[in-house]
Amino acid sequence: MRLIECVPNVSEGRRADVVAAPVQAIRSVDGVRVLDASSDPAHNRSVFTMAGDAGPLKAAIVALVGAAAARIDLRTQTGEHPRLGAVDVVPFVPIDGVTMADCVALAKDTAAEVATRFDIPVFLYEDAASSPSRRNLEDIRRGEFEGLAAKMTSPEWAPDFGPPRPHPSAGAIVIGARMPLIAFNINLATDRLDVAKKIASAIRHSSGGFRFVKAMGIALEDRGIVQVSINLTNYEKTPMHRVFDAVRREAERYGVAVLESEIIGLTPQAALVSAAEHYLQLARFSSAQILENRLRDS
Amino acid sequence: MRLIECVPNVSEGRRADVVAAPVQAIRSVDGVRVLDASSDPAHNRSVFTMAGDAGPLKAAIVALVGAAAARIDLRTQTGEHPRLGAVDVVPFVPIDGVTMADCVALAKDTAAEVATRFDIPVFLYEDAASSPSRRNLEDIRRGEFEGLAAKMTSPEWAPDFGPPRPHPSAGAIVIGARMPLIAFNINLATDRLDVAKKIASAIRHSSGGFRFVKAMGIALEDRGIVQVSINLTNYEKTPMHRVFDAVRREAERYGVAVLESEIIGLTPQAALVSAAEHYLQLARFSSAQILENRLRDS
């Protein structure tokens, strides 16, 4: 099985009929499964989660851009969430039987097709980025749609595909490839917020910790405890067990115990299997030994 | 998804055309996937692994018994493996979305149908057994086909379904329900066989250890190390992590470290996820949070 996840973000979360069009567009593509569609009126944004192989996903994104760009005009769109385009961001995420390189190739292929067909500029980001300054979505999106025309006059912000100026109503699209993100929180058996903040600081990349960890310390007021709230942006290179053990050791230094951890939302199977392999010291294990995988692939 | 595994054992492993007939019979049933078919000429026995929901599996076993009983005559069959019937053993194993009670019901339902249709006596075993003395396959099979007619004259060995005597050529069938079995070996960083044997003795049920552990200590001559070789017969009630930690602690008592562990063959996903949950102290986790499961069920 070759399985890629794709999570397009569209800049419309209020008008049901406008949201329905791109959903209908992706649902109509054979080989694409739509797992989730959620709209946020305050953000005026919708996020669709779908999965499939490269060919069907590319077709689905082309259909989605056609449906969304025809109905969303950023000149009149407002909302809390920053955005650059009618279709704002399209990440491809490797799940099973595909590499990151496959997803980067798919991102570029899709970007070229969309830019040509709809005359919309496309920027590549994350693992598909054409330079380090374009890896972060926030850097590309800074200034938003309203500042885009001026931003694109700089050679530094020439698009990777398409015309050297925003589409009048649909702006630009950011397309890329990234690892699945795991929201992994670790709750401490204490109400000392300073301890959670110190541990978050110790493990996160921005202050000297693990390369693929974003973290902050927060209070869970209703439970009288604190939490190290973690985003793991690459569970293969910075695995859950390493982060968990580091948090436990840091907490011990303050005389604090780990109460529990939790995963919010979805996680790839491999992230959990990798933890089991680590702690059980499993050697020579293959995911093909998991009965459900064997059944699925047979 | 409702998923049950079924692993029928047939008393023919030499004549390819005779083995082909029951394989063809189960393959022809819609909703059944045949994952494996392997024959052992010395044992004169074939083992088929298939999966599906209850209805299709019942139909497949009825078809398989029809095909096998018409071609295998135990009066002339010989081989190293003990056997009671042309179709010897049929275990149903709960994998996903089904309970053990579902598999017990399926075993009884299939047993009744097979006994009536083919006039073959059926004994129920393991979780489907009608009394504790019939739980173990070895007890039911003791005396084999050759001793079966005499054995069945005792009221203690009246069949659960079908006639009170063996079928002339097809003998009897043992049908039941059991948990998936995990072959889980733990290798020690030592060549001291006595240590492996003492640890095996400490953890196995028969000598005072965990309820669902069978274990023995063996030497891996070519690697110069020893192994605690383990069969886990119920990973839900005796989980891998508990056995692993016990082996590690027992080994420490002899100044020996665990080198690695290994899983031979297949394991249900849940056994690994349960280990990850334990060591990461995961709270409120559901298997529906595993991306692959979500994709499969969507």
Side-chain angles (χ1 to χ4, degrees):
Chain A
M1 186 175 61
R2 289 170 49 86
L3 194 61
I4 298 166
E5 186 189 35
C6 182
V7 193
N9 287 228
V10 171
S11 297
E12 175 62 57
R14 292 170 187 164
R15 296 173 294 167
D17 59 317
V18 174
V19 173
V23 172
Q24 179 53 38
I26 58 180
R27 276 198 205 282
S28 68
V29 178
D30 266 359
V32 166
R33 279 178 294 174
V34 178
L35 303 180
D36 192 59
S38 59
S39 298
D40 185 321
H43 285 176
N44 200 7
R45 190 176 184 87
S46 295
V47 178
F48 311 127
T49 306
M50 57 184 175
D53 201 349
L57 286 179
K58 179 185 169 186
I61 291 301
V62 169
L64 173 136
V65 172
R71 289 170 177 83
I72 301 169
D73 187 338
L74 286 198
R75 290 169 293 194
T76 55
Q77 193 264 15
T78 58
E80 284 171 21
H81 202 289
R83 76 285 179 269
L84 212 55
V87 176
D88 196 48
V89 191
V90 180
F92 293 101
V93 181
I95 301 298
D96 199 16
V98 295
T99 63
M100 180 57 83
D102 295 331
C103 287
V104 168
L106 171 58
K108 291 181 178 174
D109 190 26
T110 305
E113 175 78 17
V114 162
T116 304
R117 192 180 290 217
F118 302 106
D119 203 35
I120 300 176
V122 177
F123 296 94
L124 297 170
Y125 84 122
E126 286 279 353
D127 282 60
S130 53
S131 83
S133 63
R134 294 186 177 197
R135 282 194 72 95
N136 282 329
L137 179 59
E138 291 70 23
D139 294 331
I140 300 174
R141 205 158 53 190
R142 190 166 296 121
E144 296 196 44
F145 171 74
E146 287 71 15
L148 185 59
K151 186 175 184 173
M152 288 182 74
T153 59
S154 157
E156 188 198 342
W157 288 106
D160 290 294
F161 294 95
R165 51 188 142 45
H167 184 281
S169 58
I173 310 178
V174 186
I175 298 180
R178 61 163 172 80
M179 285 292 288
L181 202 145
I182 302 178
F184 180 48
N185 299 330
I186 301 177
N187 296 336
L188 306 180
T190 181
D191 62 355
R192 292 165 57 192
L193 182 57
D194 63 311
V195 171
K197 284 178 181 290
K198 279 177 194 157
I199 294 174
S201 169
I203 63 165
R204 73 182 162 226
H205 183 240
S206 66
S207 47
F210 295 112
R211 172 71 187 87
F212 297 103
V213 167
K214 298 177 182 181
M216 58 183 179
I218 61 173
L220 303 184
E221 307 278 4
D222 54 328
R223 297 182 64 189
I225 58 173
V226 297
Q227 175 177 91
V228 184
S229 177
I230 300 164
N231 270 336
L232 266 185
T233 57
N234 187 330
Y235 70 88
E236 287 183 349
K237 293 184 178 163
T238 305
M240 276 200 289
H241 66 78
R242 196 166 298 148
V243 175
F244 180 79
D245 286 348
V247 168
R248 182 151 59 179
R249 281 195 305 274
E250 292 287 328
E252 276 169 8
R253 182 224 168 294
Y254 301 102
V256 167
V258 167
L259 179 66
E260 62 187 21
S261 72
E262 56 185 355
I263 292 172
I264 306 298
L266 298 181
T267 173
Q269 183 191 65
L272 296 168
V273 170
S274 158
E277 282 186 88
H278 174 79
Y279 290 111
L280 296 174
Q281 294 178 229
L282 272 177
R284 296 171 292 279
F285 185 77
S286 151
S287 65
Q289 289 179 258
I290 298 174
L291 186 58
E292 286 85 347
N293 296 359
R294 179 75 156 270
L295 288 170
R296 190 191 60 195
D297 297 339
S298 71
Chain B
M1 186 175 61
R2 290 170 48 85
L3 193 63
I4 297 166
E5 187 188 35
C6 182
V7 193
N9 287 228
V10 171
S11 298
E12 174 62 57
R14 293 170 187 165
R15 295 173 294 166
D17 59 317
V18 175
V19 173
V23 172
Q24 179 53 37
I26 58 180
R27 277 198 204 282
S28 68
V29 177
D30 266 358
V32 166
R33 278 178 294 171
V34 179
L35 303 181
D36 192 59
S38 59
S39 298
D40 185 322
H43 284 177
N44 201 6
R45 190 176 184 85
S46 296
V47 178
F48 310 127
T49 306
M50 57 183 174
D53 201 349
L57 286 180
K58 179 185 168 186
I61 291 301
V62 170
L64 173 137
V65 172
R71 291 170 176 82
I72 301 170
D73 187 339
L74 285 199
R75 290 168 294 194
T76 55
Q77 193 263 15
T78 57
E80 283 170 23
H81 201 290
R83 77 284 180 268
L84 213 55
V87 176
D88 195 48
V89 191
V90 180
F92 293 102
V93 182
I95 301 297
D96 199 16
V98 294
T99 63
M100 181 57 83
D102 295 331
C103 286
V104 168
L106 171 58
K108 291 180 178 172
D109 191 24
T110 304
E113 175 77 17
V114 163
T116 305
R117 192 181 289 217
F118 301 105
D119 202 36
I120 300 176
V122 177
F123 296 93
L124 297 171
Y125 85 122
E126 287 279 353
D127 283 60
S130 53
S131 83
S133 62
R134 294 186 178 196
R135 283 194 72 94
N136 281 330
L137 179 60
E138 290 71 22
D139 294 332
I140 301 174
R141 204 158 51 190
R142 191 166 296 122
E144 294 195 45
F145 171 74
E146 286 71 15
L148 186 58
K151 186 174 185 173
M152 288 182 74
T153 59
S154 155
E156 187 197 344
W157 287 105
D160 291 293
F161 294 95
R165 52 188 140 51
H167 183 281
S169 59
I173 310 178
V174 186
I175 299 179
R178 60 165 173 79
M179 286 291 288
L181 201 146
I182 302 178
F184 180 47
N185 299 330
I186 301 177
N187 296 336
L188 306 180
T190 183
D191 61 357
R192 293 166 57 192
L193 182 57
D194 64 310
V195 172
K197 284 179 181 289
K198 280 177 194 157
I199 295 174
S201 168
I203 63 165
R204 72 180 164 229
H205 183 240
S206 65
S207 48
F210 294 113
R211 172 71 185 87
F212 297 103
V213 167
K214 298 177 182 180
M216 57 182 180
I218 61 172
L220 303 184
E221 306 279 2
D222 54 328
R223 296 182 64 190
I225 57 173
V226 297
Q227 176 177 90
V228 184
S229 177
I230 301 165
N231 270 337
L232 267 184
T233 57
N234 187 328
Y235 70 89
E236 287 183 348
K237 293 184 178 164
T238 304
M240 277 199 289
H241 65 78
R242 196 166 299 146
V243 175
F244 180 79
D245 287 347
V247 168
R248 182 151 60 179
R249 281 195 305 275
E250 293 287 329
E252 276 169 10
R253 182 224 169 293
Y254 302 102
V256 167
V258 167
L259 179 66
E260 63 188 18
S261 72
E262 57 185 355
I263 293 172
I264 306 298
L266 298 181
T267 172
Q269 182 192 65
L272 295 169
V273 170
S274 157
E277 282 185 271
H278 174 78
Y279 290 110
L280 297 173
Q281 293 179 230
L282 272 176
R284 297 171 291 280
F285 186 76
S286 149
S287 65
Q289 289 179 259
I290 298 174
L291 186 58
E292 285 85 347
N293 296 358
R294 179 76 156 270
L295 288 169
R296 190 189 59 194
D297 297 340
S298 71

